[in-house]
Amino acid sequence: KRIAIKMLQEQHRGDAELERLLIEEAKLGAQLSHRNLLSVQDLGADDGVYFVRMDLVDGGDLDALCRPGVPDVPLALLIAEEVALALMYVHSLADPEGRPLGLVHRDVSPSNVLLSKDGNVLLADFGIARELSSETNVTETHEVVGSLYFRAPEVLQGYSVDERADVYSLGRLLEWLLTGQLPRNHLPAPVPRGDRLSDDLCEAYDRIIKRATESVPD
């Protein structure tokens, strides 16, 4: 079976914070089982270097695949729906006693959405996922991890977050898939009128993107 090995780049090995994040990602990934999540198989160390063994995706990430241009509307909607299914699963996870785990991915962005050649859509990289009780996602070097364009304001500001932060990111992802424009200043991109979206889809776009990307979670 072909696999992928994930490890820290050589210059970062020995960084206790980054090693902790990698170990946390492996432990969390091993608990997850969903067709739209990248499967983590094992965590190990070789000569003091930590590594994560995971399934190999024969394809690429959404960021790279969309550089020539965003996908047609039906495919864009399908990708967003598959990512939504992955997030719904993650947000609904509970412990053996039925208490919600309160997991939040925190970095739903094109580079973390993988598309395989056989048509699978997979959400990857839970390296900065946190439980709801966590107060911040900022590393010890005070660098915000992840793609800034797709991050909810409360995440960027280091506040405690819940699953609504992932809903915000999903809204930004859908916006980008449909318009090809990166969100800036947390303002919605213009509705892509014309041949790309029908009137019904334009109306739905307005409603869904506006609600998902509200700057205030409430």
Side-chain angles (χ1 to χ4, degrees):
K1 182 176 182 179
R2 299 177 69 197
I3 61 168
I5 297 292
K6 181 175 183 176
M7 63 180 66
L8 295 176
Q9 295 182 6
E10 188 171 358
Q11 66 268 28
H12 297 306
R13 293 169 191 170
D15 184 313
E17 172 67 4
L18 294 179
E19 288 180 344
R20 182 183 64 81
L21 289 173
L22 186 68
I23 293 170
E24 283 187 3
E25 177 183 0
K27 289 180 177 179
L28 173 59
Q31 301 176 51
L32 305 177
S33 178
H34 190 274
R35 68 178 179 86
N36 294 119
L37 294 176
L38 185 62
S39 177
V40 174
Q41 302 171 8
D42 195 16
L43 167 69
D46 179 58
D47 197 22
V49 177
Y50 290 102
F51 65 87
V52 180
R53 188 176 78 232
M54 56 184 62
D55 284 349
L56 178 67
V57 178
D58 187 10
D61 67 69
L62 198 56
D63 182 44
L65 293 174
C66 289
R67 283 173 192 168
V70 291
D72 291 340
V73 170
L75 179 56
L77 296 175
L78 174 63
I79 292 169
E81 181 180 15
E82 296 289 279
V83 175
L85 290 172
L87 290 173
M88 184 170 66
Y89 165 79
V90 170
H91 294 161
S92 64
L93 284 174
D95 66 16
E97 284 71 41
R99 294 174 298 222
L101 292 180
L103 291 176
V104 184
H105 185 283
R106 290 173 172 257
D107 192 19
V108 181
S109 58
S111 61
N112 285 330
V113 177
L114 308 181
L115 277 67
S116 70
K117 291 180 180 178
D118 54 2
N120 293 320
V121 179
L122 302 161
L123 180 61
D125 199 352
F126 279 80
I128 59 172
R130 290 289 185 277
E131 298 174 357
L132 298 187
S133 59
S134 176
E135 295 181 356
T136 181
N137 67 299
V138 182
T139 66
E140 290 180 351
T141 56
H142 304 290
E143 296 174 351
V144 178
V145 185
S147 301
L148 300 182
Y149 291 121
F150 299 88
R151 307 297 292 281
E154 62 269 27
V155 175
L156 293 173
Q157 294 164 8
Y159 296 147
S160 180
V161 303
D162 58 25
E163 66 274 4
R164 291 173 294 185
D166 287 344
V167 173
Y168 179 98
S169 297
L170 179 60
R172 288 300 188 200
L173 183 71
L174 177 59
E175 176 187 51
W176 175 73
L177 283 168
L178 291 175
T179 67
Q181 299 182 45
L182 288 173
R184 296 184 182 276
N185 299 322
H186 298 284
L187 297 175
V191 179
R193 305 278 179 186
D195 295 337
R196 186 158 171 80
L197 289 185
S198 66
D199 289 343
D200 287 345
L201 278 178
C202 284
E203 181 182 343
Y205 173 94
D206 271 343
R207 184 176 67 254
I208 293 171
I209 299 300
K210 181 179 180 181
R211 181 174 180 183
T213 62
E214 287 283 359
S215 58
V216 178
D218 290 341

